[in-house]
Amino acid sequence: MDTVAKKANWNQEIIKVNKLRHTEGVVNYYAHGQTTIHGVDYLYIMWEYIPGKSLKQYIEDKQLTMQMLVNVVFRSLAVFFACQKLGIQHA
């Protein structure tokens, strides 16, 4: 994929992110942009930081309870439903 196509796809993703700004269960989006480091171009997006363990860490540490799993699935489905209502499809 060439740079122009990547940038177009990137812009489409930013539009989707903006639609989700006030959706419960989605971290806050702050900014995005492009920068060059040592001659290499990078696209970036800044999200809200939420302290604590990641889901992966809970699974690896065998600390994921059934109730936690149910909560994760329920919240994920709620966000997927909100995406669908906003016309966002994510693969």
Side-chain angles (χ1 to χ4, degrees), residues 32-84:
H32 71 281
Q34 180 177 347
T35 190
T36 303
I37 301 173
H38 301 293
V40 179
D41 291 332
Y42 294 94
L43 299 172
Y44 66 87
I45 188 165
M46 294 172 54
W47 296 96
E48 173 182 21
Y49 173 73
I50 300 176
K53 288 185 176 184
S54 68
L55 180 59
K56 179 181 178 184
Q57 289 171 315
Y58 276 104
I59 293 168
E60 288 174 350
D61 295 344
K62 297 184 169 98
Q63 295 179 332
L64 184 67
T65 66
M66 184 57 72
Q67 185 59 49
M68 291 168 72
L69 181 59
V70 168
N71 287 339
V72 167
V73 170
F74 179 77
R75 288 179 176 193
S76 298
L77 289 173
V79 171
F80 291 145
F81 180 72
C83 288
Q84 183 182 26

Side-chain angles (χ1 to χ4, degrees), residues 11 26 67:
N11 289 332
V26 176
Q67 185 59 49

